[in-house]
Amino acid sequence: MRDLVDIRKDIDQIDQKIVRLFEERMQCSEEVAEYKKGTGKPIYDRKREQEKIETLTKEVGPEFLKKGTEELFLQLMSIGRRYQYSLLSEEDSYVRKKFKQVDRLEINSDTKVVYQGIPGAYQEQAMVQFFGEDISHFTAEEFKDVVVAVDEGKADYGILPIENTSAGTVSGIYDLLLNHDVCVVGEETVECNHALVGIRGTDLSKVTKVYSHPQGLMQCKEFLDETKWDQVRIRNTAVAAKKVADDNDCTKVAISSERAAKLYGLDVLKEKVNFEGNNCTRFVVMSKKKQYRKDAKKVSISFSLPHETGSLYNILAHFMFNDVSMTNIESRPLPNRQWEYGFYIDVAGNLNEPGIRNALTGIRAEVKDFKILGNF
Ligand SMILES: O=C(O)C(=O)C[C@]1(C(=O)O)C=C[C@@H](O)C=C1
């Protein structure tokens, strides 16, 4: 058996050769970038990459090494691509063309904000936290109406709930952001301490129905599972409180904020019925203007990919190589597109950073339906 020291000497020599060859290969990549810049040919050439993997793996015998060769060359080509993007991206900066950097968001006495629901809704709380008590605003019936009002210029900003610490992503919101010409410019977290509320004199043993938004019902599941009440889904927690007040019926209760209870003259029958102690909802603030604050810290993007081995890995590598850290990822199957998936990703950073721009340029060139949802 050879001594480990000897074997390692061989490995070191081989590695040095690999590094020199790698440098040579990257020089070729640089030339390819020049060529592609001149001809407008896209950097990513999927067919060429597939052919290369096929040719190279054919020359290798054992299955394990075949797989290894494939992995190694996929990586090499992906590094080559990212190098090319970094050489070309500033001149072709999609971000620079699409988004404007601002010192701060324009908020003044003419500014109009829209949120879904009625006074007492958590959305209203988010609005007050972000814009202050005196902001001029109006309400909309559905989440969709909020986005449409912003898209059509009827409001300067709109507020939408996006995720909750105990119930997860609020369904449908990402799709609304994707399908309208709006951009996320801010976010606000609201602590949602749900209370069980009802009219004065409500006896819990006589209650038959509880009203709330589906998220409210979900966030209080543990408490509600102990009861036999019908759980009625309603548009908004504040709408639920108002309904119970309007019906003036002591067999009905609602899950809402204490603030809504107070507003509609209801009693708090039980405080904090949510099962997670720290129940928070994150809201996004969107505007029609494609803008980002120069101190914004989170970039949100979306795109779609086919369900193929390595397709997501390939895309996430753009973040890794540009030292961009990912903070959130959501995926869902795309309607009417079998085996294709939509992804929503948040990363830490600002659109004015070269690493972020490089990563986004590369991703944009290699996915379908790319959209920067915002930087906030
Ligand atoms: O041949 C090209 O067009 C290249 O850009 C080089 C290269 C590679 O590294 O081999 C990189 C990116 C393409 O997707 C295909 C191949």
Side-chain angles (χ1 to χ4, degrees):
M1 193 196 304
R2 275 212 298 160
D3 189 76
L4 180 62
V5 176
D6 286 341
I7 309 172
R8 282 189 175 166
K9 264 190 206 144
D10 282 359
I11 289 183
D12 288 345
Q13 278 180 6
I14 295 168
D15 287 348
Q16 274 166 1
K17 279 188 213 158
I18 292 178
V19 168
R20 273 195 300 275
L21 288 173
F22 175 63
E23 281 177 330
E24 259 182 62
R25 196 179 198 285
M26 292 305 275
Q27 270 162 17
C28 291
S29 262
E30 215 171 306
E31 283 182 59
V32 174
E34 271 305 308
Y35 175 88
K36 288 186 174 172
K37 190 164 115 187
T39 56
K41 203 172 177 321
I43 291 174
Y44 186 31
D45 187 335
R46 197 178 147 89
K47 192 161 164 271
R48 161 81 178 156
E49 293 201 12
Q50 276 169 344
E51 284 166 1
K52 176 151 278 300
I53 297 290
E54 233 168 77
T55 317
L56 292 171
T57 49
K58 239 187 255 159
E59 291 171 21
V60 186
E63 202 43 47
F64 187 82
L65 294 192
K66 252 190 208 309
K67 203 81 200 105
T69 307
E70 177 176 350
E71 218 172 293
L72 180 65
F73 278 86
L74 280 175
Q75 268 305 324
L76 275 177
M77 290 188 286
S78 138
I79 296 168
R81 259 186 276 130
R82 274 190 293 275
Y83 187 44
Q84 295 183 42
Y85 292 126
S86 75
L87 296 172
L88 305 184
S89 75
E90 254 322 287
E91 290 164 48
D92 172 36
S93 177
Y94 165 78
V95 170
R96 209 173 41 198
K97 280 184 223 148
K98 274 246 167 182
F99 285 81
K100 188 169 165 235
Q101 184 185 290
V102 293
D103 287 341
R104 65 185 71 83
L105 297 177
E106 200 183 323
I107 301 169
N108 54 43
S109 54
D110 292 331
T111 303
K112 264 220 156 35
V113 180
V114 57
Y115 69 86
Q116 180 260 358
I118 58 173
Y122 290 108
Q123 278 94 316
E124 184 199 36
Q125 177 68 37
M127 177 189 74
V128 169
Q129 279 178 217
F130 194 87
F131 293 97
E133 286 282 357
D134 300 329
I135 193 75
S136 120
H137 63 273
F138 63 98
T139 60
E141 285 218 346
E142 306 285 346
F143 290 145
K144 183 167 190 270
D145 304 332
V146 171
V147 191
V148 170
V150 175
D151 195 356
E152 290 178 351
K154 293 184 182 133
D156 301 293
Y157 299 101
I159 309 263
L160 289 173
I162 192 121
E163 64 169 335
N164 174 269
T165 44
S166 38
T169 306
V170 183
S171 79
I173 301 294
Y174 276 117
D175 289 349
L176 288 175
L177 295 175
L178 195 61
N179 296 326
H180 290 84
D181 190 22
V182 296
C183 145
V184 179
V185 292
E187 65 176 346
E188 190 64 47
T189 299
V190 173
E191 213 184 308
C192 300
N193 283 320
H194 298 308
L196 185 71
V197 304
I199 61 170
R200 178 136 310 154
T202 300
D203 173 357
L204 290 189
S205 66
K206 305 243 164 60
V207 168
T208 57
K209 269 189 183 143
V210 56
Y211 295 84
S212 196
H213 183 271
Q215 285 267 330
L217 296 172
M218 235 190 292
Q219 290 158 24
C220 301
K221 188 176 179 316
E222 285 184 11
F223 169 77
L224 294 175
D225 282 354
E226 296 291 307
T227 73
K228 293 203 164 57
W229 305 338
D230 281 345
Q231 298 180 17
V232 186
R233 296 148 72 104
I234 207 159
R235 203 179 306 127
N236 189 286
T237 53
V239 173
K242 185 169 184 302
K243 174 166 177 54
V244 169
D246 289 349
D247 290 358
N248 198 29
D249 175 348
C250 61
T251 64
K252 295 173 179 173
V253 290
I255 300 273
S256 77
S257 67
E258 293 195 20
R259 191 174 155 182
K262 204 164 154 199
L263 204 64
Y264 299 109
L266 296 176
D267 275 0
V268 172
L269 307 171
K270 204 166 174 17
E271 290 173 0
K272 260 194 154 200
V273 279
N274 34 285
F275 61 82
E276 197 162 289
N278 180 25
N279 186 39
C280 293
T281 299
R282 188 164 69 88
F283 290 85
V284 289
V285 178
M286 15 129 223
S287 88
K288 172 90 175 164
K289 285 187 194 156
K290 308 287 171 305
Q291 55 184 325
Y292 63 98
R293 293 188 334 269
K294 69 173 185 212
D295 61 348
K297 291 190 172 54
K298 191 190 278 182
V299 180
S300 204
I301 62 167
S302 69
F303 54 84
S304 61
L305 283 177
H307 185 40
E308 281 174 12
T309 316
S311 63
L312 181 61
Y313 174 81
N314 203 15
I315 296 308
L316 299 187
H318 285 282
F319 294 131
M320 197 178 92
F321 273 85
N322 286 292
D323 285 327
V324 173
S325 108
M326 200 171 83
T327 56
N328 187 28
I329 180 164
E330 301 276 337
S331 79
R332 54 177 189 83
L334 292 176
N336 306 320
R337 281 164 55 183
Q338 203 179 21
W339 313 131
E340 279 194 59
Y341 287 79
F343 291 90
Y344 299 95
I345 289 182
D346 290 340
V347 294
N350 189 286
L351 288 176
N352 61 21
E353 293 164 20
I356 292 274
R357 289 191 181 202
N358 281 345
L360 298 187
T361 305
I363 293 172
R364 180 169 170 256
E366 296 176 11
V367 296
K368 280 208 259 179
D369 313 313
F370 179 79
K371 185 171 177 184
I372 297 176
L373 298 174
N375 185 197
F376 43 96

Coordinates of all heavy atoms in Angstrom, one line a residue, residues 25 29 32 36 41 43-46 48-49 52 76-78 80-81 84, ligand 1:
R25 N -9.5 27.7 -19.3 CA -10.9 27.5 -19.7 C -11.6 28.9 -19.5 O -12.4 29.3 -20.3 CB -11.6 26.4 -18.9 CG -12.9 25.9 -19.5 CD -13.5 24.8 -18.8 NE -14.5 24.1 -19.6 CZ -15.7 24.6 -19.8 NH1 -16.0 25.8 -19.4 NH2 -16.5 23.9 -20.6
S29 N -13.7 31.5 -21.8 CA -15.1 32.1 -21.5 C -15.1 33.6 -21.7 O -16.1 34.1 -22.2 CB -15.3 31.8 -20.0 OG -16.1 30.7 -19.8
V32 N -15.5 34.1 -25.3 CA -16.8 33.8 -25.7 C -17.7 35.0 -25.4 O -18.6 35.4 -26.2 CB -17.4 32.5 -25.0 CG1 -18.8 32.3 -25.3 CG2 -16.6 31.3 -25.4
K36 N -20.1 37.0 -27.8 CA -21.5 37.0 -27.6 C -22.0 38.5 -27.5 O -23.1 38.8 -28.0 CB -21.9 36.2 -26.4 CG -21.8 34.7 -26.7 CD -22.3 33.8 -25.6 CE -22.3 32.4 -26.1 NZ -22.6 31.4 -25.0
K41 N -25.7 36.9 -29.2 CA -26.0 35.5 -28.9 C -26.2 35.4 -27.4 O -25.4 35.9 -26.6 CB -24.9 34.6 -29.4 CG -25.3 33.2 -29.7 CD -24.1 32.5 -30.4 CE -24.3 31.0 -30.7 NZ -25.0 30.2 -29.7
I43 N -26.0 34.1 -23.6 CA -24.9 33.4 -22.9 C -25.2 32.0 -22.6 O -24.4 31.1 -22.9 CB -24.5 34.2 -21.6 CG1 -23.9 35.5 -21.9 CG2 -23.6 33.4 -20.7 CD1 -23.7 36.5 -20.8
Y44 N -26.4 31.7 -22.2 CA -26.8 30.3 -21.9 C -27.1 29.6 -23.1 O -28.0 29.9 -23.8 CB -27.9 30.3 -20.9 CG -28.3 29.0 -20.4 CD1 -27.4 28.0 -20.2 CD2 -29.7 28.7 -20.0 CE1 -27.7 26.7 -19.7 CE2 -30.0 27.5 -19.5 CZ -29.1 26.5 -19.3 OH -29.4 25.3 -18.8
D45 N -26.4 28.5 -23.4 CA -26.7 27.7 -24.6 C -26.9 26.2 -24.1 O -26.0 25.4 -23.9 CB -25.5 27.7 -25.5 CG -25.8 27.0 -26.9 OD1 -26.6 26.1 -26.9 OD2 -25.1 27.4 -27.9
R46 N -28.1 26.0 -23.8 CA -28.5 24.7 -23.2 C -28.2 23.5 -24.0 O -27.7 22.5 -23.5 CB -30.1 24.8 -23.0 CG -30.7 23.9 -22.1 CD -32.2 24.2 -22.1 NE -33.0 23.0 -21.9 CZ -33.3 22.6 -20.7 NH1 -33.0 23.3 -19.7 NH2 -34.1 21.5 -20.6
R48 N -25.8 23.2 -26.3 CA -24.3 23.0 -26.2 C -23.9 22.3 -24.9 O -23.1 21.4 -24.9 CB -23.6 24.3 -26.4 CG -22.2 24.4 -26.0 CD -21.2 23.8 -27.0 NE -19.8 24.0 -26.6 CZ -18.9 23.2 -27.0 NH1 -19.1 22.3 -27.9 NH2 -17.6 23.4 -26.6
E49 N -24.5 22.7 -23.8 CA -24.2 22.1 -22.5 C -24.6 20.7 -22.5 O -23.9 19.8 -22.0 CB -24.8 22.9 -21.4 CG -24.2 24.3 -21.3 CD -24.4 25.0 -19.9 OE1 -24.8 24.3 -18.9 OE2 -24.2 26.2 -19.8
K52 N -22.3 18.6 -24.6 CA -21.0 18.5 -24.0 C -21.0 17.4 -22.9 O -20.1 16.5 -22.8 CB -20.6 19.8 -23.4 CG -19.3 19.8 -22.6 CD -18.6 21.1 -22.6 CE -17.8 21.3 -23.9 NZ -16.7 20.3 -24.0
L76 N -18.6 23.6 -14.0 CA -17.6 24.4 -14.7 C -18.4 25.3 -15.7 O -18.0 26.5 -15.8 CB -16.7 23.5 -15.5 CG -15.5 22.9 -14.8 CD1 -14.7 22.0 -15.7 CD2 -14.6 24.0 -14.3
M77 N -19.4 24.8 -16.4 CA -20.1 25.6 -17.4 C -20.9 26.7 -16.7 O -21.0 27.8 -17.2 CB -20.9 24.7 -18.3 CG -20.1 23.9 -19.2 SD -20.9 23.0 -20.5 CE -21.7 21.7 -19.5
S78 N -21.4 26.3 -15.5 CA -22.2 27.3 -14.8 C -21.3 28.5 -14.3 O -21.7 29.6 -14.3 CB -23.0 26.6 -13.7 OG -23.0 27.3 -12.5
G80 N -18.6 29.4 -15.8 CA -18.3 30.1 -17.0 C -19.3 31.1 -17.4 O -19.1 32.2 -17.8
R81 N -20.6 30.6 -17.3 CA -21.7 31.5 -17.6 C -21.7 32.7 -16.7 O -21.9 33.8 -17.1 CB -23.0 30.7 -17.4 CG -23.6 30.2 -18.7 CD -24.9 29.6 -18.4 NE -24.8 28.2 -17.9 CZ -25.4 27.7 -16.8 NH1 -26.1 28.5 -16.1 NH2 -25.2 26.4 -16.5
Q84 N -19.3 35.2 -17.6 CA -19.7 36.0 -18.7 C -20.7 37.0 -18.4 O -20.6 38.2 -18.8 CB -20.2 35.1 -19.8 CG -19.2 34.1 -20.4 CD -19.8 33.3 -21.5 OE1 -20.5 33.7 -22.3 NE2 -19.5 32.0 -21.5
Ligands
LIG1 O1 -19.9 27.7 -25.7 C1 -20.4 28.7 -25.3 O2 -21.3 29.3 -25.9 C2 -20.1 29.1 -23.9 O3 -20.5 30.2 -23.5 C3 -19.2 28.3 -23.0 C4 -20.0 27.4 -22.1 C5 -19.0 26.5 -21.4 O4 -18.5 26.9 -20.3 O5 -18.6 25.5 -21.9 C6 -20.7 28.2 -21.2 C7 -22.0 28.6 -21.4 C8 -22.9 28.0 -22.4 O6 -24.2 27.7 -21.9 C9 -22.3 26.9 -23.0 C10 -21.0 26.6 -22.9

